[in-house]
Amino acid sequence: MHTHIEHDQQPWWQKTVIYQIYPRSFQDSNGDGIGDLKGITSRLDYLSQTLGVDAIWLSPFFVSPMADFGYDVADYTDVDPSFGTLSDFDELLHQAHRRGLKVIIDYVPNHTSDQHPWFLESRSSRDNPKRDWYIWADPKPDGSPPNNWLSIFGGPAWEWDAETGQYYLHSFLKEQPDLNWRNPAVRQAMFDVLRFWLDKGVDGFRIDVAHFIMKDPLLRDNPLRTGSEWSLHKPFGDYESQIHLYDQNHPDVHEVYREMRQLLDSYNHDQPRFSIGEVHIYDLQKWVDFYGKDLDELHMPFNFQLLKTDWQAQAIRQSVDALEKALPEGAWPNYVLGNHDEPRLASRIGPQACRLAAMLLLTLRGTPTLYYGDEIGMVDVFIPREAQQDPLGKNLPGLGRDPCRTPMQWDGSRHAGFAPPSVAATWLPLAPDSREKNVEKQLADPRSLLNLYRRLLAFRQSSPALLRGNYLPLDNVPQDIFAYLRHLPDLAPVLISLNFSSRPIEITLPELMGGRILLSTELDREGQIHSDRLDLRPFEGMMLIPGKRMS
Ligand code: NOJ
Ligand code: CA
């Protein structure tokens, strides 16, 4: 059983829906074909009023050589000129807060850019005071790298520095050297970065590869993988040949997040400041550790389980049940169906299933993250070789993330309203379907996917059962149906029933008799139910108030 919290005591980050913006691709305000902060500010009314989300997460907009499009930071406390200025950010924050939108920004603690002044100093000589700010090690006697660790982005995780005769560690690109979080000065400097943004009033941080910041101090070789001892949510080339025992997630990581949580909590004067960590650990027992033993670490680690779960009723139910079971008392769940590193949801599960996905995401217990463009069903865009941007795709063909990062499709004009029509080219090409699939068109169509998202978001915000009710899966339904109740004592529960199949299915439940349909994913039926049966059309989801009181 979960403890019940009164609405006004429920912290904002549990009631919110997080909308992720990839700043390069949301709105270009100055006609260089690259999205920017002023562009985002100009679309805040869409987010807060038209769509109805209440928090945005901005992927990095900090000073960067863009080797990994902003995840290689050269100055954590300033804005890259391609995105605007610090005062553009202040204005964005101000305008967002005026509209009741919380602003979560990206925090990249594991690595800086190789152009960051800290690294330039660190690599300048072995006795530079900042040498130990990064992870340097001697070669093996034969000159080869210190151990067998691999970069996720391909090749060894070590780069030779001829000048000073040592290797430095980079878990990602060689342009992204790993910081040494065991050095107190690094911790101090990186906590100062948090203070800088907290003082400005940002509401929280999304922490990039949060589990990576502590590694084995002895730099031991990773064991080789022989079976399924370790896994990610998708294939990752040679990186999968090892069990990543020593190059990430050292137990000391937890002490850092306890300290970070204290810092965030010291800013809690009016509203909690929030942290959500990118933690790609698929062993739930290890994953929950990031909440902290006394819920004193991250507010939440991102739950990516559904990214690797078959799009099938029983599989999804099992994933949700397993998560609910694994959560420590009082810990809050969350769900992710897409982000800037993954194939687009509509491409992964198919366009027909998108409506069901919307209902699932917005009715499960927990905080949903919605990736920009998924509300209109944007799909992966084929990027010809000469237009490819993502370094991951260049190193490991097939794993490139450009297809899910194309410009937002606002209207049917040239460049889809993302950039002025006169612009020669946008940084990534627009989807070929942007003339038919865009915000303007879908707003005009009462039964569009976008209008389904709007209805679901509005329901969610006004329903205590959806916002904080318990989750109770229903057993007596056919294989292809995932049905659950969200309920609170003394309040009308909500029953959600999702048909994952391409066939019509009839369900029979005593709770249906006398119930009332609130919303169908087809947006074409509502009202009383006069039987204990209900027909669900192919891929149809239904939200209803049961007729009988549930306990
Ligand atoms: C995870 C981010 O989401 C991804 O986009 C980035 O390339 C890596 N971390 C490295 O920062
Ligand atoms: Ca621009």
Side-chain angles (χ1 to χ4, degrees):
M1 269 320 278
H2 298 278
T3 32
H4 302 291
I5 5 178
E6 295 301 318
H7 184 68
D8 50 1
Q9 285 172 353
Q10 192 181 19
W12 68 265
W13 53 272
Q14 297 185 355
K15 291 183 280 193
T16 203
V17 175
I18 302 174
Y19 185 95
Q20 182 192 354
I21 294 176
Y22 195 67
R24 286 184 88 75
S25 299
F26 202 58
Q27 180 66 56
D28 172 21
S29 74
N30 63 348
D32 61 358
I34 299 174
D36 46 56
L37 297 181
K38 277 201 169 122
I40 296 170
T41 306
S42 73
R43 294 293 188 181
L44 292 176
D45 282 337
Y46 165 76
L47 296 168
S48 68
Q49 283 162 36
T50 310
L51 183 58
V53 294
D54 40 26
I56 54 176
W57 149 33
L58 306 175
S59 283
F61 49 80
F62 316 105
V63 176
S64 168
M66 303 291 166
D68 187 19
F69 295 104
Y71 285 98
D72 50 321
V73 181
D75 183 349
Y76 286 100
T77 56
D78 205 352
V79 173
D80 193 84
S82 60
F83 294 126
T85 64
L86 209 45
S87 58
D88 292 340
F89 177 80
D90 292 337
E91 179 64 9
L92 192 172
L93 188 63
H94 174 68
Q95 292 299 337
H97 283 168
R98 266 193 47 201
R99 291 164 174 80
L101 279 169
K102 299 279 195 264
V103 177
I104 298 163
I105 64 171
D106 225 294
Y107 178 62
V108 189
N110 181 65
H111 43 264
T112 68
S113 159
D114 64 346
Q115 299 307 306
H116 196 294
W118 299 341
F119 188 69
L120 295 179
E121 277 192 54
S122 184
R123 81 181 309 172
S124 67
S125 80
R126 285 210 195 190
D127 50 18
N128 183 279
K130 290 212 169 54
R131 182 67 169 184
D132 187 48
W133 279 42
Y134 293 82
I135 299 173
W136 292 94
D138 290 331
K140 285 194 177 147
D142 68 354
S144 63
N147 64 24
N148 71 353
W149 295 359
L150 297 172
S151 157
I152 299 192
F153 286 175
W158 296 97
E159 179 72 8
W160 177 244
D161 182 58
E163 201 95 344
T164 58
Q166 279 189 314
Y167 283 93
Y168 67 84
L169 180 70
H170 60 91
S171 300
F172 294 85
L173 297 174
K174 69 174 177 5
E175 292 84 0
Q176 294 167 298
D178 285 30
L179 280 165
N180 175 16
W181 275 79
R182 295 188 183 276
N183 182 330
V186 167
R187 211 179 282 201
Q188 185 60 42
M190 286 303 287
F191 281 8
D192 282 346
V193 170
L194 293 173
R195 288 191 188 93
F196 175 87
W197 295 104
L198 288 165
D199 287 335
K200 280 199 175 294
V202 307
D203 300 286
F205 301 93
R206 175 268 185 187
I207 304 172
D208 191 65
V209 287
H211 55 310
F212 260 79
I213 62 174
M214 282 290 187
K215 336 359 159 134
D216 179 34
L218 301 176
L219 304 181
R220 280 172 282 189
D221 275 343
N222 278 327
L224 297 183
R225 182 169 177 261
T226 51
S228 58
E229 312 92 307
W230 183 92
S231 77
L232 272 176
H233 57 303
K234 60 182 176 190
F236 243 97
D238 281 350
Y239 194 72
E240 285 186 291
S241 66
Q242 302 182 353
I243 303 172
H244 292 275
L245 185 60
Y246 292 124
D247 56 352
Q248 50 175 276
N249 198 26
H250 186 279
D252 292 345
V253 75
H254 296 291
E255 177 236 325
V256 177
Y257 289 115
R258 276 195 294 276
E259 200 179 324
M260 195 177 287
R261 179 61 175 270
Q262 283 167 20
L263 172 62
L264 293 179
D265 286 352
S266 74
Y267 278 82
N268 273 0
H269 321 299
D270 37 2
Q271 299 260 16
R273 307 291 183 104
F274 163 70
S275 56
I276 186 161
E278 186 201 15
V279 176
H280 285 287
I281 293 177
Y282 291 87
D283 173 340
L284 277 175
Q285 291 319 314
K286 295 201 176 111
W287 177 83
V288 295
D289 288 348
F290 283 81
Y291 287 95
K293 283 213 173 52
D294 299 311
L295 300 186
D296 55 354
E297 296 185 27
L298 300 177
H299 292 77
M300 298 189 282
F302 269 124
N303 166 27
F304 296 126
Q305 296 280 346
L306 292 182
L307 294 175
K308 66 162 188 156
T309 306
D310 286 345
W311 194 254
Q312 196 247 68
Q314 294 313 311
I316 303 270
R317 176 187 164 169
Q318 274 158 27
S319 174
V320 174
D321 288 0
L323 178 83
E324 287 277 352
K325 191 158 166 256
L327 285 176
E329 175 81 36
W332 188 250
N334 74 87
Y335 293 93
V336 175
L337 292 179
N339 64 35
H340 65 294
D341 293 328
E342 304 303 327
R344 279 280 179 186
L345 176 64
S347 297
R348 186 159 58 85
I349 66 174
Q352 282 179 302
C354 283
R355 304 176 81 93
L356 206 65
M359 188 171 274
L360 175 77
L361 182 69
L362 295 173
T363 58
L364 284 173
R365 188 178 86 96
T367 302
T369 299
L370 175 57
Y371 185 48
Y372 86 91
D374 280 355
E375 75 272 32
I376 54 169
M378 279 174 63
V379 294
D380 283 335
V381 177
F382 172 76
I383 311 290
R385 186 175 279 279
E386 63 282 4
Q388 280 178 20
Q389 303 285 337
D390 182 18
L392 177 56
K394 290 179 185 167
N395 290 355
L396 302 171
L399 290 184
R401 299 162 296 179
D402 293 330
C404 72
R405 297 176 174 179
T406 59
M408 179 66 179
Q409 297 159 210
W410 296 103
D411 60 37
S413 66
R414 181 165 189 255
H415 303 321
F418 163 72
S422 56
V423 168
T426 54
W427 83 282
L428 276 175
L430 254 295
D433 68 354
S434 68
R435 263 176 216 284
E436 304 82 54
K437 186 185 287 169
N438 58 60
V439 170
E440 191 178 70
K441 268 232 157 121
Q442 292 200 16
L443 282 178
D445 169 4
R447 290 180 51 200
S448 65
L449 180 62
L450 179 56
N451 275 315
L452 173 62
Y453 268 98
R454 297 174 69 204
R455 291 288 298 278
L456 284 165
L457 283 159
F459 256 118
R460 186 185 162 87
Q461 303 309 54
S462 65
S463 162
L466 288 183
L467 286 177
R468 61 181 205 278
N470 290 327
Y471 157 82
L472 185 75
L474 299 179
D475 291 325
N476 297 323
V477 291
Q479 275 281 321
D480 285 325
I481 301 281
F482 178 25
Y484 46 96
L485 283 172
R486 300 291 316 284
H487 67 106
L488 280 172
D490 307 323
L491 275 175
V494 177
L495 193 158
I496 296 100
S497 183
L498 309 169
N499 178 4
F500 279 72
S501 81
S502 55
R503 303 172 290 119
I505 296 185
E506 183 188 74
I507 55 169
T508 309
L509 287 170
E511 294 90 348
L512 292 171
M513 178 66 89
R516 186 161 56 85
I517 299 175
L518 295 171
L519 193 68
S520 154
T521 49
E522 298 300 321
L523 295 176
D524 60 355
R525 50 174 170 166
E526 287 175 23
Q528 293 305 128
I529 313 169
H530 301 288
S531 131
D532 61 354
R533 288 152 194 245
L534 188 64
D535 284 313
L536 288 170
R537 288 167 284 178
F539 306 109
E540 184 179 24
M542 201 85 100
M543 198 162 86
L544 48 96
I545 308 236
K548 266 199 348 203
R549 208 39 197 282
M550 314 289 308
S551 54

